[in-house]
Amino acid sequence: MRSTFLLSLLLLVSIAGKSQESPSGKTYQFNLQQCLEYAFANQDSMKNARLDIESAEYRVKETIGIGLPQIDGTAQFQDFLKIPTTLIPGEFFGEEAGTFIPVKFGVKYQSSAGLSVSQLLFNGSYLVGLKASKTYRELSQRSLTRTKVQTEVSVTKAYYQVLVNAEQINLLDANIKQLKQQVDETTELNKQGFVEKVDLDRLRVLYNNLITSRENTIRLLALGYQLLKFQMGMPVSENLVLTDKIENIRLDNTAPLPTDTTAYRNRPEYALFETQKKLNELNLQRIRSQFLPSLAAFGNTSYNYQAERFRDLWDQKFPTTVVGLQLNVPIFSGFQRLNQVRQARIEVQKTENTLGTLKNAINLEQDVARTNYENGIQSLNNQRNNRALAQEVLRVSRIKYEQGVGSSLEVTQAQTALQEAENNYIQALYDALISKVDLDKAYGRIQ
């Protein structure tokens, strides 16, 4: 039963590497809500989502910093091992025309120190970038919401799996206890010659099968705990005890569920793509703003030092200071900006198409989840009734057998039918619980 799920459990446990029964592990007693709160605080994907929000805050501050004054300091030292030579026309020195006199300008040592300041006064791309950085922060916050929903879904499903396995063990214990009593009674009757050995063997086969099923389910329960701790971000060496019982979970809503045509607005996936669309629209504005001129103010001051000897280098300084404005006017870029605008406009259109597809997908998911939930509830009720009927059939078969009007084969068949009915009930219970989680997710009830 649920072979794919069991393979996933085995894989996760092999990755986790440590057994639940570690004596050094801390013990937690949690209900479902406490498991979720632990997961929200400790699950790695939740931690990363919160780190993304923190990173987005720094990104906003980084963008704001572009519009603040930019200050740089510079320092330079030069030792001219060979002073550059310049050729000067010989006429300057009374020589014949066409001749050149080699002259060296400068000194051996030179040094400078300066400070430059610039301030952006107007830039359309910067103004749009400020809006985009704040929208990026919104995107990271909505990504956290989506991660939280995914974490709640995975933890809740793993939690229900543990409860279902525990319930299955309870049912097996009850059957084993009853069947053990019947085996003991039949063994005594066989010793006295009132019951054939084949009747006793049939009961022993059933009993051994129940014991094996119980042992398998206990191992599955341990694996279920490991998966739950893995989904919660809890070290698998810790011990976890669930305080909820399967009967505490209400699954008695059999009324037809209405279709909610606006449920997609409650889904974090849809909100995430809406924010992505906003970012694409801002990117389009940013590229368009590149057609506008930009204006910046700047200032620079420096001291230059020159000397023929190193010890005299900083004896005398030559200051230089300049301030000004710089205006950049884009004129022609080989149609690059125009084609960038066209590409950005296409990205906006693609996001709009994705939103439309996502809306239809969410509505379809809602229909599927609603149908699965209604079918799951109906199947659960049916299997619960079948289990009650199988118990009654077994009870009557035993009475008939004890009174000598029924056969042991009839009792064995009734016992087998009960075991099958209980397996079907457990499967229907699990399916109903999982369909409830999927239903809440589809209707946007998990936030």
Side-chain angles (χ1 to χ4, degrees), residues 186 189-190 193-202 401 408:
T186 306
L189 292 174
N190 174 253
F194 295 107
V195 175
E196 296 182 4
K197 186 176 183 300
V198 65
D199 297 333
L200 178 60
D201 290 341
R202 290 194 187 102
Y401 178 71
S408 63

Side-chain angles (χ1 to χ4, degrees), residues 139-419:
L139 182 70
S140 63
Q141 291 171 339
R142 291 189 169 181
S143 179
L144 172 65
T145 302
R146 182 185 63 175
T147 303
K148 183 179 179 182
V149 169
Q150 293 172 341
T151 300
E152 181 168 344
V153 168
S154 59
V155 169
T156 303
K157 288 184 177 181
Y159 190 93
Y160 286 162
Q161 175 66 53
V162 172
L163 294 186
V164 168
N165 284 337
E167 176 68 9
Q168 187 173 12
I169 291 176
N170 291 335
L171 295 178
L172 287 170
D173 285 342
N175 282 338
I176 288 173
K177 180 180 179 181
Q178 184 278 325
L179 190 57
K180 178 65 168 59
Q181 180 182 356
Q182 187 174 352
V183 169
D184 293 340
E185 293 174 355
T186 306
T187 300
E188 292 300 323
L189 292 174
N190 174 253
K191 291 179 180 179
Q192 298 173 13
F194 295 107
V195 175
E196 296 182 4
K197 186 176 183 300
V198 65
D199 297 333
L200 178 60
D201 290 341
R202 290 194 187 102
L203 291 177
R204 284 176 174 171
V205 168
L206 290 176
Y207 180 79
N208 292 336
N209 288 339
L210 286 178
I211 293 295
T212 301
S213 296
R214 185 181 186 278
E215 292 173 351
N216 291 340
T217 306
I218 289 176
R219 284 188 284 267
L220 291 179
L221 178 62
L223 291 175
Y225 271 107
Q226 297 294 78
L227 175 62
L228 176 58
K229 289 185 286 186
F230 178 83
Q231 299 290 8
M232 291 169 55
M234 176 183 289
V236 294
S237 60
E238 308 287 23
N239 298 314
L240 178 62
V241 178
L242 304 189
T243 59
D244 281 333
K245 302 297 180 182
I246 198 72
E247 57 267 17
N248 300 137
I249 303 173
R250 298 184 61 84
L251 286 173
D252 54 354
N253 183 15
T254 57
L257 295 169
T259 301
D260 187 355
T261 57
T262 62
Y264 67 91
R265 297 190 178 277
N266 299 326
R267 296 287 295 274
E269 300 92 334
Y270 192 84
L272 201 62
F273 271 96
E274 281 186 321
T275 307
Q276 185 61 55
K277 177 187 174 184
K278 190 186 300 184
L279 280 175
N280 289 341
E281 291 172 342
L282 288 171
N283 184 54
L284 175 60
Q285 294 181 27
R286 180 189 64 81
I287 297 175
R288 283 174 173 170
S289 68
Q290 293 178 357
F291 288 93
L292 300 175
S294 61
L295 179 65
F298 65 90
N300 182 281
T301 183
S302 64
Y303 289 101
N304 296 312
Y305 305 89
Q306 300 181 18
E308 186 61 33
R309 295 181 302 178
F310 180 78
R311 65 184 182 181
D312 302 328
L313 178 59
W314 289 283
D315 291 345
Q316 189 176 9
K317 59 185 178 182
F318 305 93
T320 301
T321 301
V322 61
V323 295
L325 296 173
Q326 181 176 344
L327 178 66
N328 292 326
V329 181
I331 298 176
F332 181 69
S333 64
F335 302 108
Q336 293 183 59
R337 285 187 290 269
L338 178 61
N339 287 307
Q340 288 175 351
V341 168
R342 290 169 176 169
Q343 293 177 60
R345 188 181 294 117
I346 288 175
E347 290 301 318
V348 173
Q349 293 173 350
K350 288 171 61 178
T351 309
E352 291 175 349
N353 295 338
T354 301
L355 279 172
T357 302
L358 183 60
K359 177 181 176 181
N360 288 333
I362 290 175
N363 288 335
L364 176 60
E365 181 184 352
Q366 182 185 145
D367 292 337
V368 172
R370 184 177 63 254
T371 300
N372 288 340
Y373 179 71
E374 292 174 348
N375 289 344
I377 292 298
Q378 183 175 358
S379 177
L380 176 61
N381 292 333
N382 182 57
Q383 295 302 333
R384 184 183 288 115
N385 294 334
N386 287 343
R387 182 167 69 96
L389 290 174
Q391 290 173 337
E392 178 63 17
V393 169
L394 177 60
R395 187 186 69 82
V396 173
S397 299
R398 286 172 182 161
I399 293 175
K400 291 173 61 179
Y401 178 71
E402 291 171 357
Q403 295 178 352
V405 294
S407 66
S408 63
L409 181 60
E410 184 179 355
V411 175
T412 303
Q413 290 174 341
Q415 184 70 51
T416 303
L418 175 59
Q419 185 176 354

